[in-house]
Amino acid sequence: MTDIKTNTDDPNIFLVGFMGSGKSHWGKIWAKETNRNFIDLDEVIEKNVGKSIAAIFEERGEEEFRRIESAALRTCESMQDTIIASGGGTPYFYDNMQWMNEHGLTFHITVDAKEILKRVAVEQEKRPLFKNLGSDELLSFIEKKLAERLPYYSAANFTICSETATASSLTDILSSIKK
Ligand code: S3P
């Protein structure tokens, strides 16, 4: 049994991982499997600000986006029975990773740089961090960012590999810690 302390029997779940790791894809599936709600932090931000993530980056810059993101994350405290897909950068900024660990169970969905490249290259324009990079620069940029962020993602309570994940990956872990 894993000894993880939460303040409730049915804690919220935070998914962390790099862009393209499948946080939203698996989050929706696992929410159905566990009878929870699903929210995507980027969508909360877009709704609150009334602009797309790309427009917020463009008009207000990354620093302001990170401030808005961290504030939006704190609003998840009032949610119940929810799976929250954080943004790929969320754990890396402020004390967001520590906050998620203190307010729910955290799951890192792992993915390697080459797989990320395959998944994000098709919609590079929608990703502000990748926007101005040529295709030759993309892989080394992803590798660098991934290495920077890995220590933060690794602070998650559990790890699920995106390439072997299934609809029951989350429930399997949850039932193993309830035993
Ligand atoms: C970002 C990831 C994005 C979004 C923003 C910045 C990042 O979220 O928050 O574009 O810094 O990795 P997803 O991981 O949901 O795409």
Side-chain angles (χ1 to χ4, degrees):
M1 194 181 99
T2 317
D3 185 27
I4 291 175
K5 305 259 184 303
T6 61
N7 52 2
T8 148
D9 282 346
D10 218 1
N12 284 332
I13 286 170
F14 294 94
L15 303 181
V16 304
F18 208 82
M19 275 179 264
S21 57
K23 300 179 294 285
S24 297
H25 170 79
W26 288 113
K28 286 177 194 156
I29 294 172
W30 294 335
K32 275 206 187 110
E33 291 283 318
T34 58
N35 261 327
R36 284 176 161 85
N37 306 307
F38 171 77
I39 65 140
D40 183 316
L41 191 62
D42 282 343
E43 285 174 12
V44 173
I45 296 168
E46 289 180 333
K47 200 165 155 230
N48 290 350
V49 180
K51 288 181 191 292
S52 69
I53 300 295
I56 302 171
F57 263 79
E58 180 96 26
E59 292 167 23
R60 305 199 187 171
E62 179 169 0
E63 213 177 300
E64 177 66 0
F65 170 76
R66 297 303 174 188
R67 201 191 55 72
I68 296 169
E69 177 181 50
S70 191
L73 179 66
R74 265 75 181 161
T75 66
C76 299
E77 190 171 1
S78 62
M79 297 174 187
Q80 278 167 354
D81 302 322
T82 303
I83 296 185
I84 298 125
S86 66
T90 312
Y92 185 68
F93 291 89
Y94 299 96
D95 56 350
N96 294 343
M97 191 63 216
Q98 188 187 337
W99 190 90
M100 289 188 270
N101 277 331
E102 287 168 357
H103 290 84
L105 287 178
T106 51
F107 288 75
H108 173 204
I109 308 185
T110 60
V111 61
D112 67 38
K114 289 215 170 78
E115 186 60 30
I116 295 167
L117 181 67
K118 271 199 251 161
R119 296 182 191 183
V120 302
V122 284
E123 45 178 21
Q124 192 182 339
E125 280 309 301
K126 277 201 229 151
R127 315 272 187 179
L129 290 189
F130 297 154
K131 211 173 154 209
N132 300 318
L133 296 173
S135 52
D136 51 331
E137 300 164 299
L138 209 46
L139 182 62
S140 57
F141 183 82
I142 291 169
E143 283 169 342
K144 184 174 149 264
K145 284 275 168 214
L146 196 56
E148 246 170 42
R149 291 174 176 184
L150 217 58
Y152 295 81
Y153 297 150
S154 302
N157 301 129
F158 302 99
T159 298
I160 297 176
C161 168
S162 72
E163 291 188 65
T164 54
T166 67
S168 68
S169 300
L170 189 84
T171 32
D172 291 347
I173 295 175
L174 292 179
S175 43
S176 78
I177 57 174
K178 275 194 177 150
K179 273 180 198 153

